[in-house]
Amino acid sequence: MTEHSKQAPESLTPTDAATRPYVDADDGGDNLDDMVASTDSGARKPDGVPGKLLVGIAAVWSLFQLWIASPLPFIFGVGVFNATEARSVHLAFALFLAYMAYPALKRSPRDHIPLQDWILAGLAAFCGAYMFLFYESLAQRPSAPLIQDVVVGVVGILLLLEATRRALGPPLMIVASVFLVYSLAGPWMPGLLAHKAIDIDSLINHQWLTTQGVFGIALGVSTSFVFLFVLFGALLDKAGAGNYFIKVAFSMLGHYKGGPAKAAVVASGMTGLISGSSIANTVTTGTFTIPMMKRVGFPSEKAGAVEVASSVNGQIMPPVMGAAAFLMVEYVGISYVEVIKHAFLPALISYISLIYIVHLEALKANMQGLTSSNPPKPLVRKVAGFLGGLLLMMVTALGVYYGLGWLKPLLGAAAPWVIAAGLVALYLGLLKVAAGYPELELDDPDKPIYELPKTRPTVMVGLQYILPVVVLIWCLMVERLSPGLSAFWATVFMIFIMLTQRPIIAAFRGRSQVSADLKEGALDLWNGLVTGARNMIGIGIATATAGIIVGAVSQTGVGLVLADVVETISMGNLLLILFFTAVLSLILGMGLPTTANYIVVSALLAPVIIQLGQQNGLLVPLIAVHLFVFYFGIMADVTPPVGLASFAAAAISGGDPIRTGFQAFYYSLRTAALPFLFIFNTDLLLIDVSPLQGVLVFIVATFAMLIFAAATQGYMITRSRWYESALLLLVAFTLFRPGFWMDQLHDPYRDIPPTQFVEALGNVDADTQLRLQISGLDAYGEPMTTYMTLPVPDGDSGQARMDNLGLELVTEDGKALVDMVTYGSQAADMGFDFDQEIIQVQAPVDRWTKEWMWLPALGVLGLVIALQRRRRRRETLPAAGA
C-alpha cells in the first residue's frame, strides 16, 4: 500500500463531514489501514526484536522465492529444490508468518507476540517443512506412513486450519473441516453421499504426505507463479508506480463530465495490474478518487460503488491477473499466454462499459469535471495527438519486435547481453526525460481544493515504471518463458530500477546525494520484499487449505455424487446449472478469498458443466467454464452483505456499506452478464477466430455491452422508458448472440442416418466439422450419452478419412457401432471406444451467416435513439424558451 493510503484515515476534506471515514461502532474504531492489514497482511505489528524478526523472515521468504525461480541454483549447483520440497518450504514460511502476523482473537495483543503463538508458529513451520526435511525417507516408503508421519500430519492439518481461521476467517476453515469429516465418516453418510471407509493413516497420507491434498497443484502454483507476481506488484508500488498511475489517470480524464469517476476506473484498472487484492486496490486509489467524485456531485454510496466496481475488476485485467489465473494454467492445461488471450477481451469490455456507466451517471445528474491544468486545445489537435502517439507506439513496438527478431540470430549467445544493454540505455533515456520535469508529489488528502496535474509532465516523469511491465509481457508472450521465470526477470529489473532511479535522476538534476539516494532506494526495496511476503500469507494459506477440499474430492469421489445431485436439481438444463454455479460462487465468496473460492467451485462443478453441456449438445470449452467460475468468485468481493471491498469504500466515503455494496453490484451487472455470454458465444474468448474476426468481435461486443449498460442504467440520450430499456436489452443480446436468432430461423445442421456416416464424412468440406451424438458406457461402467464435434480428417474419400481418423464401424440392425479404435489415433483422443453407438450424425448446411441478424438489431436501436432524441428535444424546449 502506498504512503497515500496510510494517511487516508485521518481526514479526507476539512470542509465536508460526509467525507470522514465511516467507522462502525462495533469494530473498535479500526481505521482503513487496520482493515487492509487484517485481511491482507496481518494486523499485528510488534515492537522491538519480535517486530524485526517478523519483517526479517518475511524478507527472507521473498529472497527464497526469488532464488528458486532464478537459474542461479542450477548454475552453481547448490540450493536446488524440486517442486515438492519448494512447496513444503513455501507452506512453512506461510504458516510461521500467519501465527506471527495474525492475532488469534480481536482482543489479542497487536504490539507483541504471545508465547503460545511463538510455539504454534514453530510447530506449524516444522509440520509444513516436514516434506522437505524428510523427503528422502518419505520417498522410500510411499503409502506406508509411520506413526511419526501420521502425528505430524494430524498436527499440521489442525494448525493449518487454525492459521486459516486467523488469516481468512472461519468460512474456509469450516468448509475444509466438513470435507475432512466427510472423508472419515463415509460409511455413515446417507444415501448417495456414502462411500467406503477411509482410515486416519490413509487420510493423512493422501492429504499431507503426497501432492494430492495440501501440497497439491494449488499450493504448487502459489509457490511457482503467484508469489513472484505479488512481489513484483509490491515492488512496483513501493517504487512509486501506484501514485504515478493515479496521477496519469486524473490528468487525462479528470476534466470531463464526472471526470474523477472516469479517472477512478482507469486508475483502479492500472493499479489492478500490480495489486492482487480488491480491498487494497480500493483503499489505495479510493483514498483520492472517492473524495474527488463526491466533489463533482456523486453521492457517497455511488462514489464508493464506482471505486469498488473498478477495483474488483482489476483481478481480471491481464497481463497480471489474480492468483486464480495461474491455477487455470494447471487445471485447464494451457499456457499462461493462452489464459491472457482468452481473458483479455471480456476484461477490456468490462472496463470500457464501466467508464460509460460513469458517464451516464454524470449525464443524469448534469455533473461537471474538475478544472484542467492543461492549456486548451482544439478537438482536432487532441485527436491528432492521440492518434500520433498511438501510431508512434505501434511503430516502436513493431520495430523492436522485428529488430530483435533479426538481431538475435545474428548475435547468437551475446543477444541477451546486447538486449539488456539496450534496455538499460532506454531506461537511462527515460530517466533523463523524467529529470526535466518536476517530481510527482504525494497529494495531501486534507487539501480542500483539488487541482488536476498537467498531463505531459505527469506522463513523462514516470515512464520508467512501464519498462518492467514491458519486460514481463515480452518474456511471457515473445520469449514464451514460464510465468515464474518471466516474473523473475521483471522483478530483477524492478529491483534494479528501485536501487538506481533516485541517484540517477538526482545526478541529471545536478543535486546528487548518492549515499542518501541509494539508502532510500534500498529501504524501498526492503519494504517491498516485506510487503510482498506479508501479502502472500493469506494466499499461501488459502491454496493449502483449498488443497484439503480438492484432496477429499479425489479420495472420496464426491465429485461424481455432486454431479448427479446437481444434474437432478437442474433437470439437465445447462442454463440452470450455470445459475446454480454462479450462486454457489457468490455464497462461498462471502467467506472465502477469490483463489480458494475458485479452487473449490471449479473442482466441484466445472466437470459437471462440461458434462451437462455435452449432453445438451453444447460443447463448452474448459477455459470458458473456469473463467465463468473465476468471474463470479471475484463478484463475491462486491456482493452484500459481506463484500469487504464495499466496506472499505464506505469507510472512505462516509456512506452506508450495505447500500454501497448493492450499488456496486448494480454497476457490476455487466461483469455478471459476460460469463453467461462467453459460455454460449466463445468468440468473446477469441477461441478459433482470426485476427480480423477478433477485431470485429471486440467492436461489436463493446458496442453491445455499452447498450446493455444503458439499458440497466435506464438512461441513454435521456431517461429511458421501461419498454425502451427492454428493447435495448434485446438489441444487446442479439449483438452478443446473433446465432441464437439465426438458429430459430434456420437449423445449422441437417441429420444424416448414422449408417451413412462414412458417406457423410466423404461429402463434407475439409474445413468443416460434423456433430455426433454417442451412446455407450463411461469410465465407471455407467450408461452415458454425449455430443462431440468431429473435425474432418484429411483424405480424398470417406473411407480414407475414416482410416486417418483411426475408426472402424460395423452396422448391425440399422445401428452404427464402433468396432475398432486405433491406439493413439485422433478417434482415441476424442473419446471413441469399443461398442459405442453413433446415435446421430449432423452435417453443417449452407445458410446466411449469423451476423446478418445484427441488421434488425441495429434497426431497433435506431428506433430507440429516434424516440429518445425526440423526447430530449421536447424536454429542452422549455429551457431554451426561457
Side-chain angles (χ1 to χ4, degrees):
M1 192 164 55
T2 62
E3 185 178 336
H4 270 151
S5 56
K6 292 180 181 178
Q7 298 172 351
E10 300 299 328
S11 172
L12 296 174
T13 57
T15 58
D16 188 355
T19 61
R20 295 173 191 156
Y22 170 90
V23 179
D24 193 328
D26 294 332
D27 66 9
D30 287 347
N31 58 25
L32 289 174
D33 197 19
D34 290 335
M35 180 183 293
V36 176
S38 62
T39 56
D40 283 344
S41 59
R44 185 178 279 154
K45 296 178 181 177
D47 300 322
V49 174
K52 293 179 181 178
L53 183 62
L54 172 58
V55 297
I57 292 174
V60 169
W61 189 13
S62 293
L63 294 174
F64 167 77
Q65 295 290 155
L66 285 171
W67 174 262
I68 63 174
S70 73
L72 296 178
F74 302 97
I75 293 174
F76 296 110
V78 295
V80 179
F81 293 79
N82 63 35
T84 304
E85 291 173 326
R87 295 176 191 184
S88 180
V89 176
H90 179 84
L91 181 59
F93 272 113
L95 287 169
F96 188 85
L97 290 173
Y99 280 98
M100 294 195 57
Y102 289 89
L105 304 168
K106 284 188 176 181
R107 63 177 180 270
S108 298
R110 267 45 172 184
D111 57 350
H112 72 275
I113 303 173
L115 177 61
Q116 64 268 24
D117 281 357
W118 284 103
I119 296 172
L120 291 174
L123 191 58
F126 171 77
C127 294
Y130 189 75
M131 287 272 280
F132 166 69
L133 296 172
F134 299 93
Y135 181 78
E136 290 186 6
S137 60
L138 288 171
Q140 292 173 2
R141 44 185 170 80
S143 302
L146 303 177
I147 295 296
Q148 166 188 312
D149 303 334
V150 175
V151 171
V152 169
V154 170
V155 174
I157 287 177
L158 293 176
L159 290 175
L160 174 60
L161 293 175
E162 167 59 13
T164 304
R165 185 194 66 80
R166 293 188 181 202
L168 306 168
L172 180 56
M173 180 207 70
I174 294 171
V175 173
S177 301
V178 168
F179 274 87
L180 286 173
V181 172
Y182 175 72
S183 297
L184 294 171
W188 297 279
M189 288 290 160
L192 283 174
L193 294 176
H195 62 86
K196 67 178 182 179
I198 295 175
D199 58 40
I200 189 68
D201 289 6
S202 300
L203 176 70
I204 295 303
N205 181 72
H206 188 82
Q207 293 285 5
W208 200 262
L209 303 178
T210 69
T211 55
Q212 302 297 314
V214 170
F215 297 95
I217 289 176
L219 188 63
V221 170
S222 176
T223 306
S224 304
F225 305 154
V226 179
F227 192 105
L228 290 171
F229 279 84
V230 171
L231 177 61
F232 174 70
L235 293 176
L236 199 56
D237 185 50
K238 291 296 180 184
N243 181 50
Y244 172 70
F245 290 154
I246 295 172
K247 291 275 192 173
V248 168
F250 272 91
S251 68
M252 290 182 170
L253 299 171
H255 61 285
Y256 291 108
K257 282 183 178 291
K262 295 173 183 175
V265 175
V266 175
S268 295
M270 290 190 292
T271 306
L273 298 178
I274 62 175
S275 170
S277 166
S278 303
I279 302 165
N281 194 356
T282 298
V283 172
T284 302
T285 58
T287 299
F288 305 96
T289 60
I290 290 174
M292 286 189 178
M293 281 188 268
K294 293 179 67 177
R295 188 169 183 267
V296 297
F298 275 86
S300 298
E301 283 77 16
K302 288 189 175 182
V306 168
E307 179 57 47
V308 170
S310 52
S311 294
V312 167
N313 271 24
Q315 291 189 60
I316 64 174
M317 193 66 186
V320 184
M321 300 167 66
F326 302 104
L327 289 164
M328 287 184 206
V329 173
E330 300 296 328
Y331 288 160
V332 182
I334 60 177
S335 69
Y336 187 61
V337 175
E338 289 292 308
V339 173
I340 291 175
K341 185 188 84 171
H342 297 316
F344 176 71
L345 210 58
L348 186 60
I349 292 170
S350 183
Y351 264 107
I352 292 173
S353 62
L354 182 57
I355 293 176
Y356 183 59
I357 287 173
V358 167
H359 179 69
L360 294 178
E361 289 283 10
L363 289 178
K364 288 181 194 177
N366 196 25
M367 298 177 191
Q368 301 302 317
L370 300 176
T371 303
S372 174
S373 301
N374 297 317
K377 288 183 181 179
L379 180 61
V380 175
R381 287 188 60 189
K382 290 182 180 180
V383 174
F386 173 77
L387 293 177
L390 184 63
L391 182 62
L392 178 63
M393 185 172 64
M394 293 171 64
V395 169
T396 303
L398 289 173
V400 170
Y401 180 79
Y402 288 105
L404 288 178
W406 174 74
L407 277 174
K408 286 172 68 176
L410 184 68
L411 297 172
W417 298 103
V418 174
I419 294 172
L423 188 63
V424 171
L426 177 60
Y427 167 62
L428 293 175
L430 293 178
L431 291 186
K432 176 66 175 175
V433 171
Y437 294 93
E439 188 174 351
L440 279 183
E441 297 291 336
L442 291 176
D443 283 329
D444 181 4
D446 293 327
K447 286 179 63 175
I449 299 176
Y450 295 90
E451 296 180 358
L452 294 177
K454 292 183 179 179
T455 300
R456 182 180 177 83
T458 304
V459 171
M460 293 299 180
V461 81
L463 288 174
Q464 69 272 16
Y465 297 130
I466 301 175
L467 288 180
V469 180
V470 172
V471 170
L472 176 65
I473 296 173
W474 176 272
C475 291
L476 278 172
M477 297 190 169
V478 179
E479 299 294 338
R480 295 295 176 128
L481 301 180
S482 68
L485 195 55
S486 300
F488 168 77
W489 289 118
T491 303
V492 168
F493 190 58
M494 190 66 244
I495 292 173
F496 172 72
I497 289 177
M498 295 181 76
L499 293 175
T500 60
Q501 65 173 346
R502 281 190 176 85
I504 294 175
I505 290 178
F508 282 138
R509 288 174 175 162
R511 50 180 178 81
S512 177
Q513 295 180 338
V514 177
S515 178
D517 291 334
L518 283 174
K519 184 177 180 181
E520 194 171 353
L523 181 61
D524 285 343
L525 173 58
W526 175 263
N527 289 333
L529 292 173
V530 173
T531 301
R534 293 195 65 158
N535 287 343
M536 267 302 300
I537 298 172
I539 297 176
I541 296 295
T543 51
T545 309
I548 293 176
I549 300 168
V550 175
V553 170
S554 64
Q555 191 174 24
T556 62
V558 69
L560 299 174
V561 175
L562 184 66
D564 292 337
V565 172
V566 170
E567 183 178 358
T568 302
I569 295 175
S570 65
M571 297 171 290
N573 187 292
L574 181 62
L575 198 56
L576 272 179
I577 183 59
L578 289 173
F579 176 76
F580 290 150
T581 303
V583 171
L584 179 62
S585 295
L586 291 176
I587 293 173
L588 287 176
M590 292 180 184
L592 273 61
T594 303
T595 305
N597 187 0
Y598 164 75
I599 295 170
V600 174
V601 180
S602 63
L604 294 176
L605 292 182
V608 182
I609 296 174
I610 296 291
Q611 179 183 336
L612 283 182
Q614 291 175 342
Q615 293 175 1
N616 284 268
L618 180 67
L619 303 176
V620 185
L622 189 58
I623 182 63
V625 178
H626 281 261
L627 282 173
F628 182 94
V629 174
F630 182 38
Y631 266 61
F632 279 99
I634 290 170
M635 283 287 293
D637 282 344
V638 179
T639 310
V642 198
L644 293 179
S646 301
F647 277 82
I652 301 172
S653 70
D656 179 79
I658 300 299
R659 291 176 61 189
T660 300
F662 277 111
Q663 187 67 49
F665 184 80
Y666 185 51
Y667 287 153
S668 299
L669 285 176
R670 76 210 187 286
T671 308
L674 276 170
F676 285 96
L677 293 168
F678 61 58
I679 285 287
F680 292 98
N681 182 9
T682 56
D683 289 353
L684 287 170
L685 301 180
L686 301 181
I687 295 177
D688 296 330
V689 296
S690 65
L692 185 60
Q693 287 175 316
V695 172
L696 180 63
V697 167
F698 168 67
I699 294 173
V700 174
T702 302
F703 187 52
M705 187 53 72
L706 297 183
I707 296 171
F708 177 83
T712 55
Q713 294 301 308
Y715 195 102
M716 189 165 64
I717 298 172
T718 186
R719 292 190 182 276
S720 302
R721 304 278 171 80
W722 69 267
Y723 54 84
E724 291 173 340
S725 294
L727 288 175
L728 289 176
L729 287 175
L730 183 63
V731 170
F733 175 77
T734 304
L735 293 177
F736 272 120
R737 281 205 65 200
F740 175 83
W741 300 112
M742 185 59 72
D743 290 348
Q744 306 303 312
L745 296 176
H746 196 301
D747 197 315
Y749 294 96
R750 59 186 175 88
D751 288 331
I752 296 174
T755 53
Q756 299 177 16
F757 176 65
V758 177
E759 292 82 351
L761 200 59
N763 293 333
V764 296
D765 296 333
D767 58 347
T768 59
Q769 293 181 331
L770 294 176
R771 280 170 58 93
L772 308 176
Q773 187 179 14
I774 308 296
S775 175
L777 301 179
D778 62 16
Y780 300 94
E782 298 293 331
M784 65 90 185
T785 301
T786 186
Y787 282 84
M788 64 174 64
T789 57
L790 172 65
V792 176
D794 296 331
D796 298 330
S797 65
Q799 189 57 51
R801 289 176 173 177
M802 283 288 288
D803 293 340
N804 292 331
L805 180 62
L807 187 67
E808 291 184 16
L809 300 181
V810 62
T811 302
E812 293 181 0
D813 301 327
K815 297 180 180 179
L817 304 175
V818 176
D819 187 49
M820 180 67 70
V821 179
T822 304
Y823 179 77
S825 64
Q826 180 182 350
D829 293 339
M830 293 181 62
F832 281 101
D833 205 350
F834 302 108
D835 292 333
Q836 287 179 342
E837 180 186 356
I838 299 178
I839 300 175
Q840 188 179 39
V841 179
Q842 293 182 317
V845 297
D846 291 331
R847 64 171 188 173
W848 290 356
T849 61
K850 61 184 179 182
E851 284 74 19
W852 281 108
M853 299 307 301
W854 288 344
L855 294 180
L858 294 176
V860 174
L861 176 63
L863 174 64
V864 175
I865 291 174
L867 291 173
Q868 293 209 357
R869 277 185 172 174
R870 186 172 64 179
R871 193 161 67 253
R872 177 74 173 176
R873 282 196 298 268
R874 288 203 306 265
E875 292 169 353
T876 54
L877 280 177

